[in-house]
Amino acid sequence: MNHEFNGLDNQAQNKNFVKISGLVHFLSNSKNNHKYFPFALRHENIYNNMLRKDFLNVRVFPEDLQEKIKSLNENDFVELTGVLRSSRGSGELYLAALEINKLDKPENFQLENQVELSGFVHVIKAQSEGETGTGKYTRFAVRQENHELDGQPRKDFLVVRVYDEKLREKLATKSDSEPVSVTGTLRSSRGSGVNYVRCVSL
């Protein structure tokens, strides 16, 4: 198993859990990386009476799971569980898959999308606020401090957007490096395509 894949410490302050379902979308560069197999999960749900599509970045590190995802077809419906990571190169958020199960596609688009995180507040100074069609948001990161299997320290900065006004006010009372817990859903920006956690509770 890859060191980067399973390096979470078993501590309450580092809770990191994702369960999500959607449609397999293979990437053109999937075969160019030998360390992990990347693909996108197309998650569809009804939001504000409209069909919303999110393309979520997934990396598969264990060889047995790589073979499993490669055996699937484009648009196969799957359920994934895993942990969120931030890329050491770009800092972008991705889901490191722990389990992949093929399922029958449901008749509606109300699919599973659950994220639970805990760690420490990391204040993002650049572009900490923004606005989309669903309203204004405050952006911060949950910092998690872990160790790789070889003992080397690892930090992940998991980007969260807070839209709800009361939750934004609550976030404003928290200081940098203060413990924080977040539940929410995994989303992709309609503009940049960058993945983030949309906060539901804080």
Side-chain angles (χ1 to χ4, degrees):
M1 186 174 291
N2 185 280
H3 286 175
E4 185 176 8
F5 175 70
N6 192 26
L8 277 178
D9 289 338
N10 186 20
Q11 299 177 13
Q13 68 182 25
N14 276 339
K15 187 171 187 179
N16 190 326
F17 173 81
V18 180
K19 185 177 183 181
I20 193 163
S21 55
L23 305 175
V24 172
H25 175 64
F26 291 112
L27 306 175
S28 59
N29 63 345
S30 294
K31 297 180 180 180
N32 297 331
N33 193 309
H34 300 290
K35 186 177 180 182
Y36 59 84
F37 186 85
F39 72 99
L41 186 71
R42 191 171 89 237
H43 180 83
E44 301 179 353
N45 70 312
I46 302 298
Y47 188 81
N48 287 343
N49 297 318
M50 297 181 63
L51 179 62
R52 175 189 171 97
K53 295 181 181 180
D54 290 280
F55 290 86
L56 308 173
N57 300 323
V58 183
R59 295 183 182 182
V60 183
F61 290 91
E63 292 183 1
D64 58 334
L65 284 186
Q66 288 190 36
E67 294 305 314
K68 189 172 186 178
I69 192 67
K70 290 176 183 179
S71 71
L72 299 176
N73 298 312
E74 181 83 4
N75 292 324
D76 275 351
F77 180 67
V78 296
E79 181 181 75
L80 305 181
T81 57
V83 295
L84 287 181
R85 297 295 204 193
S86 59
S87 172
R88 287 184 167 182
S90 64
E92 292 187 3
L93 204 65
Y94 66 88
L95 172 61
L98 292 168
E99 187 175 352
I100 301 172
N101 292 308
K102 182 180 177 182
L103 302 174
D104 292 331
K105 189 175 185 300
E107 295 181 359
N108 57 53
F109 289 103
Q110 298 301 318
L111 309 182
E112 186 78 27
N113 193 334
Q114 177 186 0
V115 177
E116 299 177 13
L117 298 174
S118 59
F120 303 94
V121 172
H122 175 73
V123 175
I124 299 176
K125 297 180 180 179
Q127 298 179 336
S128 61
E129 295 187 348
E131 185 172 3
T132 66
T134 57
K136 295 181 179 179
Y137 64 84
T138 300
R139 191 170 69 111
F140 79 104
V142 174
R143 188 183 85 244
Q144 292 196 331
E145 300 180 1
N146 308 298
H147 289 86
E148 307 288 8
L149 293 183
D150 60 4
Q152 293 298 311
R154 175 191 175 94
K155 290 184 180 180
D156 287 287
F157 296 88
L158 310 173
V159 177
V160 179
R161 291 185 185 180
V162 184
Y163 283 85
D164 182 82
E165 185 174 354
K166 290 184 179 179
L167 292 179
R168 292 175 67 193
E169 292 173 356
K170 186 176 181 179
L171 177 63
T173 66
K174 293 187 175 295
S175 304
D176 195 58
S177 296
E178 184 175 341
V180 66
S181 295
V182 172
T183 63
T185 57
L186 190 58
R187 299 295 188 190
S188 63
S189 171
R190 290 186 175 182
S192 63
V194 171
N195 289 185
Y196 64 91
V197 176
R198 182 174 181 129
C199 180
V200 173
S201 66
L202 182 65

